[in-house]
Amino acid sequence: YNAGGIAGENNGTIENCTVKGTITSAESEGDYIGGIAGYNTGTITGSSSSATVTAVCGNAGGVVGCNTENGTVENTYATGNISAENYAGGLIGYNYLSTESGNVISVSSCYGTGNVSGKYAGGLIGYLYTYRSGYTTDTITNTVKYCYAQGAVTGTTYAGGLIGYVNSGRYHSSYPYPTINIVHCYSIGSSVASNAGGLIGYLSSTEYCSVQSSYYNADTSGCSDIDKGASVSDASMKLQSSYNGWDFDSVWAISSSMNDGYPYLLALGAENTGSEDDTTTTETTTETTTEETSTETTTSSSGGGSSDTTTTTTETTTEATNTTETTTEATTTTTTETTTEATTTTTTETTTLSDDDDDDKTTTTEATTEATTVDDSASQIKVSAPENAKLDNTLEVKLIMRNVDVISGGQFVLNYDNTMVSLESDGYSSGAVLTEAGITPVVYVNNDAGTCSVAFISNPTANFDAEGTLMTFTFTSIAEGTAEFSVSDLSFSYKSGTKYVELDIASVSDSTNITSYILGDVNDDNKINYLDAVLILRSVVGMVTLDDTHKLAADVDGNGSVNYMDAMYILDYSAGNISSFGDL
């Protein structure tokens, strides 16, 4: 039995489709389960899946459970977590080519970012097998090229950051093995198994299995194997010069503000993961012209019959066609990202000029747009006052904004431990950011719930683009112990520019007695991602020791201990499966 978000079996073409939701096989069924197709002998192109795929008994892939008989997957990606009893891959569980002759590119220009677990587990492909099925000496090659994987991989037997197991077979020993080529690929996730590899868990032979200019992250993989991909430091993996022979004109691109600085595929794009100082003149026109169909699917495969039971809900998502013209007036790196979430026509023209001899910037913005509200639930930030730490029985906490780009309004909730501290209804003051913009916030304090809700709308005559202190809160200590603070329900409305704002909590009272940390940020890089999960796993097995502050940051489920579950929750958060550690 095979099950997929769109098709159980595909022998045609699936193009420009998107799947969301959860796909799970029944306990006793489900040979191949895929985010898009369970079993593929056709073509899947220009598609994506964010579905969580689970094969309780069988094999699973983020896009395809089994890709076989000249089936191809191209320009496609998956972001959901994958788990299976046997073969499990972030994109494909089992990639199997059986033929008497032919040269096949089975997978190209694809990526997987979900976490993967199974017996044969790979960040992109669980098991890659090419087999000569007849008495021939014809050339047979199976190529995987221009792909990458970023998820953490755990295998009960084999695990590889990109591919768990690579093997070539033949019908008779008198005839040559077919050739497998892994070309211009990389992986950055951790790889854990009894047979683990940074890029490939197991490679049957370097004679007929060729790994060409492909790399894995030496700092994050936890592996140091050779002959199955080159080991490169994390810093070097963010340098174009590290990728020998790669095409950074038409296939790949690399930018410090995209995809966390790692290479990404031009055909598929990448998420903007940061912002940079730019000196540019940019003209952007966005006009909604097309519609695509996004399918949100929950599929289950059940026993007792020869067909799958599939429930599909279809929702329409409007996308936009963007035309961007950029003129750079200084040596800069420029990223322009426009998000349209309703049917609208938007024209934004922004000119920013800077003088090398003067740090001041002059910004003129003319915009007609519908504000887009973007949730930023990454501000899982806490400040702890250790036991007996008091300063005149009060504690001041600042909220500091960074990376601000022409905001029209915003809101957030400051959460605090009402058994340790209390906040008066007027126990707050506006910081320089609000004061200089002429903004008076609306504040509601609820000591019974331990929350302070804040909303503000910018003065239409001023540009709300300052960085610095947003607000200061003065709490009264009512008990000895540790007081914790966090921000939730954070969102901003933007007039233009990149959709990214940082909101940090910083204590201003007796800094020697206050410990500040970001919940989930175990390595202090101001990000919450798989690197933090790897550090937790290394601490669990005794490879590193976390100090008290980093243990607080690592204990995301708040149970008082740091274990592998905290690492899994961080990976779920990084993949977007949970929006807040407060939901645990």
Side-chain angles (χ1 to χ4, degrees):
Y1 299 94
N2 306 305
I6 293 177
E9 296 187 12
N10 173 55
N11 58 12
T13 298
I14 296 175
E15 186 172 9
N16 297 333
C17 293
T18 300
V19 174
K20 303 177 181 179
T22 300
I23 303 171
T24 305
S25 69
E27 185 172 353
S28 60
E29 304 291 348
D31 287 336
Y32 297 105
I33 312 298
I36 291 178
Y39 193 87
N40 180 56
T41 59
T43 299
I44 298 176
T45 182
S47 299
S48 66
S49 172
S50 61
T52 298
V53 183
T54 303
V56 178
C57 180
N59 314 280
V63 170
V64 176
C66 178
N67 187 55
T68 188
E69 295 180 19
N70 294 330
T72 60
V73 181
E74 59 187 16
N75 295 329
T76 294
Y77 66 90
T79 59
N81 291 340
I82 311 300
S83 62
E85 180 188 43
N86 198 28
Y87 306 141
L91 190 81
I92 298 171
Y94 186 32
N95 195 53
Y96 175 52
L97 172 64
S98 176
T99 185
E100 295 186 4
S101 65
N103 301 313
V104 176
I105 301 174
S106 58
V107 185
S108 65
S109 297
C110 294
Y111 70 81
T113 61
N115 305 315
V116 182
S117 62
K119 182 177 181 180
Y120 300 83
L124 190 80
I125 300 171
Y127 195 115
L128 173 59
Y129 185 36
T130 303
Y131 181 73
R132 181 181 296 276
S133 58
Y135 295 97
T136 71
T137 58
D138 294 346
T139 299
I140 298 175
T141 62
N142 186 7
T143 299
V144 175
K145 66 176 184 177
Y146 311 151
C147 295
Y148 67 89
Q150 296 184 326
V153 182
T154 304
T156 55
T157 306
Y158 297 95
L162 189 79
I163 305 174
Y165 196 103
V166 177
N167 193 18
S168 179
R170 56 190 177 178
Y171 183 75
H172 193 277
S173 60
S174 299
Y175 298 91
Y177 283 101
T179 300
I180 298 173
N181 297 319
I182 313 298
V183 181
H184 297 183
C185 298
Y186 78 86
S187 66
I188 61 174
S190 61
S191 183
V192 179
S194 55
N195 298 279
L199 190 76
I200 298 172
Y202 176 84
L203 188 67
S204 60
S205 172
T206 57
E207 179 181 352
Y208 42 82
C209 298
S210 172
V211 181
Q212 304 170 22
S213 294
S214 296
Y215 310 91
Y216 69 90
N217 194 314
D219 297 326
T220 61
S221 65
C223 300
S224 58
D225 52 307
I226 59 175
D227 297 330
K228 297 181 295 180
S231 172
V232 179
S233 70
D234 183 67
S236 294
M237 291 202 74
K238 299 179 181 181
L239 300 176
Q240 180 174 324
S241 59
S242 299
Y243 298 89
N244 184 35
W246 286 33
D247 182 354
F248 281 95
D249 293 323
S250 58
V251 177
W252 297 94
I254 192 166
S255 168
S256 61
S257 63
M258 303 292 286
N259 200 30
D260 284 328
Y262 301 104
Y264 62 93
L265 293 162
L266 287 170
L268 299 178
E271 179 184 0
N272 188 329
T273 54
S275 62
E276 300 175 0
D277 292 332
D278 302 325
T279 304
T280 62
T281 300
T282 303
E283 180 174 326
T284 303
T285 302
T286 304
E287 183 174 355
T288 302
T289 58
T290 62
E291 286 191 349
E292 293 188 0
T293 299
S294 172
T295 304
E296 182 168 352
T297 307
T298 300
T299 304
S300 57
S301 172
S302 58
S306 60
S307 62
D308 301 326
T309 300
T310 304
T311 301
T312 303
T313 301
T314 302
E315 59 182 19
T316 299
T317 301
T318 301
E319 297 192 347
T321 300
N322 300 322
T323 302
T324 302
E325 179 181 341
T326 302
T327 303
T328 303
E329 298 181 356
T331 302
T332 59
T333 300
T334 302
T335 301
T336 300
E337 179 180 330
T338 303
T339 301
T340 303
E341 295 186 348
T343 303
T344 180
T345 300
T346 303
T347 301
T348 303
E349 181 174 337
T350 303
T351 303
T352 304
L353 302 176
S354 68
D355 188 338
D356 291 340
D357 299 326
D358 190 346
D359 291 336
D360 294 337
K361 291 183 178 179
T362 302
T363 302
T364 303
T365 302
E366 179 181 347
T368 302
T369 184
E370 282 189 19
T372 301
T373 300
V374 180
D375 289 333
D376 185 353
S377 57
S379 295
Q380 306 268 338
I381 303 171
K382 296 184 179 181
V383 177
S384 298
E387 287 190 7
N388 305 318
K390 294 183 180 182
L391 182 64
D392 296 330
N393 212 41
T394 62
L395 175 68
E396 287 188 341
V397 173
K398 280 184 178 180
L399 292 183
I400 300 173
M401 298 188 72
R402 297 185 178 91
N403 293 324
V404 181
D405 193 349
V406 195
I407 291 174
S408 62
Q411 64 183 23
F412 63 88
V413 176
L414 178 63
N415 306 284
Y416 55 92
D417 187 349
N418 60 0
T419 65
M420 304 302 301
V421 296
S422 66
L423 181 65
E424 299 297 328
S425 59
D426 60 351
Y428 61 88
S429 60
S430 298
V433 170
L434 295 180
T435 301
E436 293 175 5
I439 300 171
T440 300
V442 178
V443 182
Y444 174 68
V445 178
N446 186 346
N447 271 315
D448 291 336
T451 60
C452 179
S453 303
V454 179
F456 51 85
I457 301 176
S458 70
N459 186 331
T461 63
N463 284 330
F464 184 15
D465 58 358
E467 298 190 2
T469 301
L470 182 69
M471 297 184 69
T472 299
F473 300 85
T474 302
F475 291 89
T476 300
S477 177
I478 58 178
E480 293 184 352
T482 300
E484 295 186 341
F485 305 83
S486 64
V487 170
S488 64
D489 302 318
L490 172 65
S491 65
F492 289 101
S493 297
Y494 298 83
K495 289 182 178 178
S496 68
T498 57
K499 310 298 184 284
Y500 182 70
V501 172
E502 293 178 3
L503 185 61
D504 293 342
I505 296 180
S507 169
V508 296
S509 297
D510 195 0
S511 60
T512 59
N513 287 331
I514 303 299
T515 301
S516 177
Y517 62 94
I518 301 176
L519 189 61
D521 179 21
V522 189
N523 63 354
D524 294 329
D525 64 352
N526 291 320
K527 298 177 183 178
I528 303 173
N529 55 30
Y530 67 92
L531 295 175
D532 302 295
V534 170
L535 188 55
I536 289 175
L537 292 174
R538 289 180 175 177
S539 72
V540 169
V541 299
M543 296 176 64
V544 297
T545 301
L546 301 178
D547 60 23
D548 291 341
T549 300
H550 291 97
K551 286 179 180 178
L552 290 173
D555 183 21
V556 296
D557 59 7
N559 67 354
S561 65
V562 177
N563 53 43
Y564 74 95
M565 288 303 300
D566 295 299
M568 294 302 298
Y569 288 137
I570 288 176
L571 292 173
D572 280 339
Y573 176 84
S574 178
N577 298 320
I578 58 175
S579 61
S580 170
F581 295 127
D583 298 335
L584 302 177

